[in-house]
PDB file of all heavy atoms in Angstrom:
ATOM      1  N   LEU A  38      53.733 122.715  26.785  1.00 82.00           N
ATOM      2  CA  LEU A  38      54.473 123.824  26.044  1.00 82.00           C
ATOM      3  C   LEU A  38      55.586 124.332  26.934  1.00 82.00           C
ATOM      4  O   LEU A  38      56.691 124.614  26.454  1.00 82.00           O
ATOM      5  CB  LEU A  38      53.601 124.947  25.607  1.00 82.00           C
ATOM      6  CG  LEU A  38      52.418 124.592  24.668  1.00 82.00           C
ATOM      7  CD1 LEU A  38      51.580 125.750  24.339  1.00 82.00           C
ATOM      8  CD2 LEU A  38      52.948 123.865  23.378  1.00 82.00           C
ATOM      9  N   HIS A  39      55.395 124.427  28.233  1.00 84.00           N
ATOM     10  CA  HIS A  39      56.469 124.852  29.168  1.00 84.00           C
ATOM     11  C   HIS A  39      57.640 123.835  29.172  1.00 84.00           C
ATOM     12  O   HIS A  39      58.789 124.250  29.347  1.00 84.00           O
ATOM     13  CB  HIS A  39      55.907 125.016  30.512  1.00 84.00           C
ATOM     14  CG  HIS A  39      54.979 126.145  30.722  1.00 84.00           C
ATOM     15  ND1 HIS A  39      55.469 127.498  30.634  1.00 84.00           N
ATOM     16  CD2 HIS A  39      53.727 126.207  30.965  1.00 84.00           C
ATOM     17  CE1 HIS A  39      54.383 128.247  30.904  1.00 84.00           C
ATOM     18  NE2 HIS A  39      53.283 127.487  31.007  1.00 84.00           N
ATOM     19  N   LEU A  40      57.327 122.584  28.979  1.00 87.00           N
ATOM     20  CA  LEU A  40      58.332 121.477  29.100  1.00 87.00           C
ATOM     21  C   LEU A  40      59.471 121.736  28.117  1.00 87.00           C
ATOM     22  O   LEU A  40      60.591 121.439  28.326  1.00 87.00           O
ATOM     23  CB  LEU A  40      57.638 120.163  28.822  1.00 87.00           C
ATOM     24  CG  LEU A  40      58.520 118.964  28.930  1.00 87.00           C
ATOM     25  CD1 LEU A  40      59.167 118.851  30.340  1.00 87.00           C
ATOM     26  CD2 LEU A  40      57.757 117.688  28.569  1.00 87.00           C
ATOM     27  N   ILE A  41      59.143 122.327  26.902  1.00 90.00           N
ATOM     28  CA  ILE A  41      60.258 122.564  25.902  1.00 90.00           C
ATOM     29  C   ILE A  41      61.343 123.452  26.477  1.00 90.00           C
ATOM     30  O   ILE A  41      62.525 123.210  26.138  1.00 90.00           O
ATOM     31  CB  ILE A  41      59.655 123.051  24.571  1.00 90.00           C
ATOM     32  CG1 ILE A  41      60.712 122.990  23.513  1.00 90.00           C
ATOM     33  CG2 ILE A  41      59.200 124.553  24.647  1.00 90.00           C
ATOM     34  CD1 ILE A  41      60.889 121.574  22.912  1.00 90.00           C
ATOM     35  N   GLU A  42      60.910 124.470  27.253  1.00 90.00           N
ATOM     36  CA  GLU A  42      61.938 125.330  27.886  1.00 90.00           C
ATOM     37  C   GLU A  42      62.878 124.574  28.835  1.00 90.00           C
ATOM     38  O   GLU A  42      64.115 124.792  28.858  1.00 90.00           O
ATOM     39  CB  GLU A  42      61.317 126.442  28.558  1.00 90.00           C
ATOM     40  CG  GLU A  42      60.568 127.400  27.707  1.00 90.00           C
ATOM     41  CD  GLU A  42      59.832 128.540  28.353  1.00 90.00           C
ATOM     42  OE1 GLU A  42      59.292 128.239  29.444  1.00 90.00           O
ATOM     43  OE2 GLU A  42      59.768 129.588  27.819  1.00 90.00           O
ATOM     44  N   THR A  43      62.280 123.627  29.577  1.00 92.00           N
ATOM     45  CA  THR A  43      63.079 122.915  30.496  1.00 92.00           C
ATOM     46  C   THR A  43      63.987 121.881  29.789  1.00 92.00           C
ATOM     47  O   THR A  43      65.178 121.821  30.081  1.00 92.00           O
ATOM     48  CB  THR A  43      62.160 122.057  31.426  1.00 92.00           C
ATOM     49  OG1 THR A  43      61.307 122.934  32.136  1.00 92.00           O
ATOM     50  CG2 THR A  43      62.924 121.246  32.470  1.00 92.00           C
ATOM     51  N   VAL A  44      63.454 121.123  28.804  1.00 92.00           N
ATOM     52  CA  VAL A  44      64.197 120.156  28.119  1.00 92.00           C
ATOM     53  C   VAL A  44      65.360 120.762  27.325  1.00 92.00           C
ATOM     54  O   VAL A  44      66.383 120.165  27.175  1.00 92.00           O
ATOM     55  CB  VAL A  44      63.224 119.364  27.182  1.00 92.00           C
ATOM     56  CG1 VAL A  44      63.958 118.436  26.226  1.00 92.00           C
ATOM     57  CG2 VAL A  44      62.251 118.522  28.047  1.00 92.00           C
ATOM     58  N   THR A  45      65.183 121.942  26.823  1.00 93.00           N
ATOM     59  CA  THR A  45      66.209 122.442  25.949  1.00 93.00           C
ATOM     60  C   THR A  45      67.089 123.508  26.717  1.00 93.00           C
ATOM     61  O   THR A  45      67.784 124.197  26.075  1.00 93.00           O
ATOM     62  CB  THR A  45      65.629 123.216  24.679  1.00 93.00           C
ATOM     63  OG1 THR A  45      64.794 124.322  25.154  1.00 93.00           O
ATOM     64  CG2 THR A  45      64.827 122.279  23.866  1.00 93.00           C
ATOM     65  N   GLY A  46      66.873 123.619  27.961  1.00 94.00           N
ATOM     66  CA  GLY A  46      67.660 124.596  28.830  1.00 94.00           C
ATOM     67  C   GLY A  46      67.361 125.997  28.361  1.00 94.00           C
ATOM     68  O   GLY A  46      68.265 126.883  28.495  1.00 94.00           O
ATOM     69  N   GLY A  47      66.229 126.330  27.876  1.00 92.00           N
ATOM     70  CA  GLY A  47      65.804 127.692  27.506  1.00 92.00           C
ATOM     71  C   GLY A  47      66.166 128.017  26.153  1.00 92.00           C
ATOM     72  O   GLY A  47      65.852 129.118  25.705  1.00 92.00           O
ATOM     73  N   ARG A  48      66.735 127.162  25.380  1.00 95.00           N
ATOM     74  CA  ARG A  48      67.053 127.471  23.919  1.00 95.00           C
ATOM     75  C   ARG A  48      65.828 127.558  23.085  1.00 95.00           C
ATOM     76  O   ARG A  48      65.819 128.381  22.129  1.00 95.00           O
ATOM     77  CB  ARG A  48      68.041 126.467  23.343  1.00 95.00           C
ATOM     78  CG  ARG A  48      69.480 126.661  23.913  1.00 95.00           C
ATOM     79  CD  ARG A  48      70.358 125.503  23.352  1.00 95.00           C
ATOM     80  NE  ARG A  48      69.731 124.269  24.007  1.00 95.00           N
ATOM     81  CZ  ARG A  48      70.096 123.075  23.603  1.00 95.00           C
ATOM     82  NH1 ARG A  48      71.001 122.827  22.724  1.00 95.00           N
ATOM     83  NH2 ARG A  48      69.570 122.010  24.186  1.00 95.00           N
ATOM     84  N   LEU A  49      64.827 126.833  23.441  1.00 93.00           N
ATOM     85  CA  LEU A  49      63.544 126.950  22.721  1.00 93.00           C
ATOM     86  C   LEU A  49      62.508 127.439  23.747  1.00 93.00           C
ATOM     87  O   LEU A  49      62.598 127.061  24.931  1.00 93.00           O
ATOM     88  CB  LEU A  49      63.119 125.535  22.173  1.00 93.00           C
ATOM     89  CG  LEU A  49      63.994 125.019  21.086  1.00 93.00           C
ATOM     90  CD1 LEU A  49      63.532 123.592  20.739  1.00 93.00           C
ATOM     91  CD2 LEU A  49      64.087 125.947  19.826  1.00 93.00           C
ATOM     92  N   THR A  50      61.499 128.138  23.296  1.00 93.00           N
ATOM     93  CA  THR A  50      60.509 128.788  24.141  1.00 93.00           C
ATOM     94  C   THR A  50      59.158 128.102  23.917  1.00 93.00           C
ATOM     95  O   THR A  50      59.018 127.232  23.058  1.00 93.00           O
ATOM     96  CB  THR A  50      60.355 130.257  23.792  1.00 93.00           C
ATOM     97  OG1 THR A  50      59.828 130.356  22.508  1.00 93.00           O
ATOM     98  CG2 THR A  50      61.702 130.977  23.861  1.00 93.00           C
ATOM     99  N   ARG A  51      58.216 128.580  24.777  1.00 90.00           N
ATOM    100  CA  ARG A  51      56.832 128.089  24.630  1.00 90.00           C
ATOM    101  C   ARG A  51      56.368 128.391  23.221  1.00 90.00           C
ATOM    102  O   ARG A  51      55.577 127.661  22.673  1.00 90.00           O
ATOM    103  CB  ARG A  51      55.970 128.722  25.649  1.00 90.00           C
ATOM    104  CG  ARG A  51      56.138 128.203  27.106  1.00 90.00           C
ATOM    105  CD  ARG A  51      55.302 128.924  28.032  1.00 90.00           C
ATOM    106  NE  ARG A  51      55.826 130.285  27.983  1.00 90.00           N
ATOM    107  CZ  ARG A  51      55.311 131.333  28.722  1.00 90.00           C
ATOM    108  NH1 ARG A  51      54.221 131.110  29.404  1.00 90.00           N
ATOM    109  NH2 ARG A  51      55.871 132.504  28.712  1.00 90.00           N
ATOM    110  N   ASP A  52      56.726 129.528  22.704  1.00 93.00           N
ATOM    111  CA  ASP A  52      56.265 129.941  21.392  1.00 93.00           C
ATOM    112  C   ASP A  52      56.835 128.998  20.291  1.00 93.00           C
ATOM    113  O   ASP A  52      56.160 128.633  19.402  1.00 93.00           O
ATOM    114  CB  ASP A  52      56.699 131.454  21.105  1.00 93.00           C
ATOM    115  CG  ASP A  52      55.981 132.437  21.916  1.00 93.00           C
ATOM    116  OD1 ASP A  52      54.922 132.128  22.417  1.00 93.00           O
ATOM    117  OD2 ASP A  52      56.426 133.570  21.945  1.00 93.00           O
ATOM    118  N   ASP A  53      58.056 128.553  20.516  1.00 94.00           N
ATOM    119  CA  ASP A  53      58.679 127.600  19.615  1.00 94.00           C
ATOM    120  C   ASP A  53      57.921 126.368  19.599  1.00 94.00           C
ATOM    121  O   ASP A  53      57.588 125.718  18.603  1.00 94.00           O
ATOM    122  CB  ASP A  53      60.141 127.294  19.986  1.00 94.00           C
ATOM    123  CG  ASP A  53      61.016 128.586  19.763  1.00 94.00           C
ATOM    124  OD1 ASP A  53      60.828 129.367  18.855  1.00 94.00           O
ATOM    125  OD2 ASP A  53      61.897 128.676  20.620  1.00 94.00           O
ATOM    126  N   ALA A  54      57.557 125.880  20.828  1.00 92.00           N
ATOM    127  CA  ALA A  54      56.776 124.662  21.037  1.00 92.00           C
ATOM    128  C   ALA A  54      55.396 124.746  20.426  1.00 92.00           C
ATOM    129  O   ALA A  54      54.947 123.773  19.781  1.00 92.00           O
ATOM    130  CB  ALA A  54      56.684 124.274  22.509  1.00 92.00           C
ATOM    131  N   LEU A  55      54.826 125.887  20.557  1.00 92.00           N
ATOM    132  CA  LEU A  55      53.440 126.105  20.036  1.00 92.00           C
ATOM    133  C   LEU A  55      53.561 125.940  18.501  1.00 92.00           C
ATOM    134  O   LEU A  55      52.660 125.335  17.899  1.00 92.00           O
ATOM    135  CB  LEU A  55      52.947 127.483  20.441  1.00 92.00           C
ATOM    136  CG  LEU A  55      51.596 127.832  19.923  1.00 92.00           C
ATOM    137  CD1 LEU A  55      50.537 126.983  20.490  1.00 92.00           C
ATOM    138  CD2 LEU A  55      51.286 129.295  20.374  1.00 92.00           C
ATOM    139  N   LEU A  56      54.513 126.598  17.894  1.00 94.00           N
ATOM    140  CA  LEU A  56      54.649 126.466  16.423  1.00 94.00           C
ATOM    141  C   LEU A  56      54.875 125.063  15.962  1.00 94.00           C
ATOM    142  O   LEU A  56      54.365 124.658  14.998  1.00 94.00           O
ATOM    143  CB  LEU A  56      55.852 127.425  15.977  1.00 94.00           C
ATOM    144  CG  LEU A  56      56.087 127.501  14.471  1.00 94.00           C
ATOM    145  CD1 LEU A  56      54.828 127.995  13.696  1.00 94.00           C
ATOM    146  CD2 LEU A  56      57.284 128.353  14.144  1.00 94.00           C
ATOM    147  N   VAL A  57      55.638 124.316  16.743  1.00 93.00           N
ATOM    148  CA  VAL A  57      55.981 122.931  16.386  1.00 93.00           C
ATOM    149  C   VAL A  57      54.645 122.142  16.463  1.00 93.00           C
ATOM    150  O   VAL A  57      54.310 121.352  15.519  1.00 93.00           O
ATOM    151  CB  VAL A  57      56.971 122.302  17.274  1.00 93.00           C
ATOM    152  CG1 VAL A  57      57.030 120.819  17.203  1.00 93.00           C
ATOM    153  CG2 VAL A  57      58.350 122.877  16.998  1.00 93.00           C
ATOM    154  N   ARG A  58      53.891 122.347  17.468  1.00 91.00           N
ATOM    155  CA  ARG A  58      52.593 121.623  17.643  1.00 91.00           C
ATOM    156  C   ARG A  58      51.604 121.944  16.460  1.00 91.00           C
ATOM    157  O   ARG A  58      50.929 120.988  16.006  1.00 91.00           O
ATOM    158  CB  ARG A  58      51.867 121.914  18.968  1.00 91.00           C
ATOM    159  CG  ARG A  58      52.704 121.551  20.126  1.00 91.00           C
ATOM    160  CD  ARG A  58      52.962 120.013  20.286  1.00 91.00           C
ATOM    161  NE  ARG A  58      51.712 119.271  20.293  1.00 91.00           N
ATOM    162  CZ  ARG A  58      51.502 118.072  19.580  1.00 91.00           C
ATOM    163  NH1 ARG A  58      52.321 117.582  18.835  1.00 91.00           N
ATOM    164  NH2 ARG A  58      50.313 117.499  19.664  1.00 91.00           N
ATOM    165  N   ILE A  59      51.535 123.225  16.079  1.00 93.00           N
ATOM    166  CA  ILE A  59      50.628 123.620  15.002  1.00 93.00           C
ATOM    167  C   ILE A  59      51.170 122.950  13.717  1.00 93.00           C
ATOM    168  O   ILE A  59      50.304 122.355  12.970  1.00 93.00           O
ATOM    169  CB  ILE A  59      50.680 125.117  14.874  1.00 93.00           C
ATOM    170  CG1 ILE A  59      49.834 125.641  16.039  1.00 93.00           C
ATOM    171  CG2 ILE A  59      50.017 125.489  13.502  1.00 93.00           C
ATOM    172  CD1 ILE A  59      49.965 127.252  16.143  1.00 93.00           C
TER     173      ILE A  59
END
Side-chain angles (χ1 to χ4, degrees):
L38 300 179
H39 290 290
L40 184 60
I41 194 73
E42 293 175 325
T43 303
V44 170
T45 65
R48 286 174 296 170
L49 297 176
T50 67
R51 288 174 294 173
D52 291 344
D53 295 324
L55 182 63
L56 182 59
V57 168
R58 295 302 299 140
I59 290 169

